[in-house]
Structure formats: structure tokens, C-alpha cells
Amino acid sequence: MNESAKINEPEYVKEARGDFVKFRDKWMKHVLSKDWLSQTERLIAIRIALYANFDDKFARPSIATIAIDSALSKRTIIRAINKLEAEGLLFIERRKRGVNRYWLTI
């Protein structure tokens, strides 16, 4: 969405977008407070959260994209994502074609 379209958004859309950003920030702080997660798992969680957007309410970065962003191997990314899912911090829609979808959960 371009900046001029955001300026003309109805007020309720601006409020909803702000609520989503607050939720995402709260989720990231929640993840960072979990001392039983490794630094790598926290990094991957934050990288995924930064791809989440208001319009879709989920993130869809590829494993390759997360690997490039975090300078970690794909296998490390997959292990971290599986741990985040097992701990209830992510809900994942695994797709046979295309990229998985990730929802932030608390």
C-alpha cells in the first residue's frame, strides 16, 4: 500500500492497523522474555514477526528468506520454527505449494 492511500484510510482502519502493530510488539516482547528459548529461536521469531502485516494478519517469509535475513542455515531455521510452534508461539499453515503462513500466538 502506498503512502497516499494510507493517508486517505478511514479512521477505523488506522486504529485497526495500530492495534495490530501493538499486538505484534507485545508478541515480540513476550517472546524475548522467554529465557527457555535460545537466542537463535528468539531471532527467528522476531524475523518472522517483522514480516507479519495488518492486511493478512500472518507472515509468509520463505525459509530461504529467513535464512538470508538471519545468516543462519535453513536447517537451523526449521528447527527454531518447530520449537516456536511446539511452545505455542506460532501457528503454522504448512503448504505443499508456496510458502508457509505463520500466525503469532500468545
Side-chain angles (χ1 to χ4, degrees):
M1 176 177 289
N2 63 37
E3 290 302 314
S4 63
K6 285 184 182 180
I7 293 170
N8 297 323
E9 287 179 331
E11 194 59 37
Y12 70 90
V13 173
K14 290 179 185 177
E15 288 176 21
R17 187 179 307 280
D19 290 344
F20 177 75
V21 170
K22 287 177 188 175
F23 168 76
R24 185 183 67 190
D25 290 351
K26 180 181 175 182
W27 185 87
M28 288 192 291
K29 288 176 184 176
H30 176 72
V31 167
L32 290 172
S33 73
K34 303 302 177 196
D35 58 1
W36 37 263
L37 289 175
S38 70
Q39 289 181 350
T40 298
E41 292 159 349
R42 292 178 202 181
L43 171 65
I44 300 312
I46 299 304
R47 294 305 310 169
I48 290 171
L50 291 173
Y51 280 98
N53 66 70
F54 165 75
D55 296 322
D56 297 328
K57 305 289 191 278
F58 59 83
R60 56 177 166 229
S62 68
I63 300 296
T65 296
I66 300 169
I68 291 167
D69 288 349
S70 60
L72 296 168
S73 72
K74 290 180 183 180
R75 185 67 202 132
T76 299
I77 305 301
I78 292 167
R79 277 195 305 269
I81 288 171
N82 289 339
K83 171 83 179 273
L84 294 166
E85 181 183 33
E87 297 295 339
L89 296 168
L90 288 178
F91 172 78
I92 304 170
E93 177 188 342
R94 288 184 167 77
R95 304 178 65 153
K96 291 184 181 183
R97 294 185 184 191
V99 178
N100 292 339
R101 294 179 179 176
Y102 305 94
W103 279 265
L104 314 177
T105 58
I106 293 182

